[in-house]
Amino acid sequence: MAAPRPEEHEIAVVGARAAGAATALLAARTGHDVVVVDRALLPSDTMSTHAIARSGVVQLHRWGLLDEVVASGAPPIHQVTFTTPEGTMTRTVKDSAGVGFLVAPRRYVLDTIVAEAAARAGATLRLGVTVTDLRRDATGRVTGLSGHDQDCRPVEIEASVVVGADGLGSRVGRRAGAAMVEDRGANGAAWYAYHRGPAWDGIEFFVTEGALAGVFPTHDDEANIWICIPAVSARAASRSAGSLEAGFDRLLAHHAPELAERLAGSERTSPVRGMVGLPNQVRQAWGPGWALVGDALYHRDAITGHGISDAYRDAELLACALDEGLRHGRGLDPALDGYRREADAARREIFDITCELADFPPPGEFVQLQRRLSAAIEIEAAALAARPIPGHDRLAVA
């Protein structure tokens, strides 16, 4: 049987989750022919840091999607409580950078909202497609991708640029030969589960020696209950307790006994999930005909809960670079190198704080780092709020 004739698109995005769907949305809104493929079908869940920092909420607001997220049932979160060995303090989420609350939506809801917005903007969604390789020309430049759909029928796509938004184990990154440019270790672990039971007034953090636990209120009157610990402690707890679930419960009881007591009458509505050995790393951002975004580019420990916000920030930086390189005559390679420099600068302070927190310093120092993190997020949110909104002029005309 003859090979299928390749589909032709300007931009092919691999991965339809946070970074990929947002890149496709913004590139489509700026007038580009975009196809986004993912081996998963939506709606479906994925492992996640779950809560969205103010900078990520600002992005959803700027893109016109925050109201839809709230309408889906994600509760607006108006207060954050910190419990430390010195006591408990509650703060109201202030109105800043255009938003006055936080959200922690389930990913099967959030990712579907952003992906469907990308489709409304004109992007072509090809779900259930597994990418197996990259297409190249005689010079070695990436010119598209190869894969197959759920029925094992071949899929061939040609594109001016392939964007790898396919997560920590990015196949696009591997096939492109993206080098590791920064590796700062993988010393942390994070476990979480969903619970229904007590009512939660807002986000809660529990800081103790060698751990950070917390609560993120989410859809369906549930809360995401989580704990971040050193990888060595996670492995020891799992071995001694005999199972992931028992280890999770034991760690909560030890590090956040007040939280564990409040959960005693609740219903756990999911298995315990998580990852041990959370890498802090940055890959090469781009090469001839390809670019990386989201966890495929940059992964950090979950302890700062900044993964979704990182993905949304870098998706916008990449979408703007693609628009400059493809539409405005700057040249794709120089534009992508500009993306690399902007993303490097944008992540630096929060990446440094994340790595310091992932070493689990004593609680007093940990709290000081958390204050630095809050200040850095506020600065990032304000900077994002001040940026021109990609495609806004086209939306206004439409």
Side-chain angles (χ1 to χ4, degrees):
M1 184 174 63
R5 182 176 179 178
E7 300 177 28
E8 295 184 6
H9 297 274
E10 200 174 13
I11 301 167
V13 180
V14 181
R17 297 288 181 181
T23 302
L25 166 68
L26 299 174
R29 283 185 176 177
T30 51
H32 295 279
D33 175 14
V34 184
V35 61
V36 54
V37 303
D38 199 301
R39 64 184 178 183
L41 301 177
L42 295 177
S44 59
D45 210 359
T46 189
M47 198 173 297
S48 177
T49 48
H50 200 78
I52 308 179
R54 186 190 294 276
S55 46
V57 179
V58 165
Q59 294 293 73
L60 290 170
H61 172 63
R62 292 173 64 244
W63 303 340
L65 301 179
L66 184 56
D67 288 347
E68 189 174 350
V69 171
V70 173
S72 75
I77 297 167
H78 294 281
Q79 71 177 40
V80 180
T81 298
F82 282 88
T83 297
T84 73
E86 283 69 44
T88 296
M89 177 178 61
T90 297
R91 292 182 175 177
T92 300
V93 177
K94 64 182 180 180
D95 194 334
S96 177
V99 298
F101 58 88
L102 305 178
V103 286
R106 291 294 298 264
R107 287 294 298 277
Y108 67 84
V109 177
L110 177 66
D111 294 344
T112 302
I113 287 172
V114 182
E116 289 180 348
R120 291 195 301 271
T124 301
L125 288 183
R126 294 288 307 275
L127 302 178
V129 171
T130 298
V131 173
T132 56
D133 209 348
L134 299 177
R135 298 167 62 92
R136 298 177 185 269
D137 65 15
T139 70
R141 187 178 188 88
V142 171
T143 60
L145 59 86
S146 300
H148 60 81
D149 65 16
Q150 290 187 312
D151 296 321
C152 295
R153 291 174 298 203
V155 173
E156 301 286 341
I157 296 173
E158 289 187 351
S160 298
V161 60
V162 174
V163 173
D166 48 341
L168 179 59
S170 174
R171 180 166 286 178
V172 172
R174 293 198 309 271
R175 296 298 193 196
M180 190 70 68
V181 298
E182 189 170 0
D183 187 346
R184 300 179 64 174
N187 302 319
W191 289 345
Y192 66 86
Y194 297 95
H195 284 250
R196 182 181 294 118
W200 305 99
D201 294 327
I203 289 174
E204 299 189 34
F205 294 100
F206 298 82
V207 181
T208 187
E209 191 76 38
L212 175 68
V215 177
F216 296 145
T218 189
H219 283 90
D220 302 321
D221 297 320
E222 295 184 344
N224 178 276
I225 309 298
W226 53 270
I227 187 166
C228 292
I229 46 177
V232 63
S233 300
R235 294 186 182 103
S238 184
R239 284 195 301 268
S240 63
S243 70
L244 184 61
E245 286 73 14
F248 179 69
D249 291 339
R250 183 175 295 181
L251 286 167
L252 284 179
H254 177 72
H255 289 289
E258 176 188 342
L259 174 58
E261 183 177 346
R262 289 160 65 192
L263 291 171
S266 71
E267 174 192 4
R268 182 174 293 166
T269 58
S270 74
V272 175
R273 303 183 67 189
M275 183 175 176
V276 177
L278 293 161
N280 295 285
Q281 64 184 37
V282 183
R283 287 191 180 98
Q284 178 184 345
W286 72 278
W290 61 270
L292 301 181
V293 70
D295 286 350
L297 169 66
Y298 160 52
H299 189 279
R300 86 304 302 140
D301 196 287
I303 198 163
T304 44
H306 204 258
I308 297 172
S309 296
D310 280 323
Y312 288 169
R313 180 200 64 222
D314 289 353
E316 181 167 326
L317 294 177
L318 178 55
C320 291
L322 292 171
D323 189 44
E324 290 178 15
L326 294 170
R327 179 186 300 278
H328 298 296
R330 179 179 174 186
L332 184 58
D333 291 0
L336 289 177
D337 202 51
Y339 158 65
R340 174 190 62 80
R341 292 193 302 272
E342 283 193 276
D344 282 348
R347 82 171 63 94
R348 182 52 48 195
E349 184 175 8
I350 291 175
F351 190 24
D352 288 344
I353 294 170
T354 299
C355 292
E356 292 183 65
L357 286 168
D359 285 336
F360 291 92
E365 184 179 344
F366 196 99
V367 170
Q368 291 302 314
L369 286 168
Q370 285 283 351
R371 289 175 178 155
R372 280 181 53 200
L373 174 66
S374 296
I377 289 173
E378 291 299 320
I379 291 170
E380 178 181 62
L384 289 168
R387 288 176 59 93
I389 301 172
H392 183 70
D393 53 342
R394 293 175 61 88
L395 288 175
V397 171

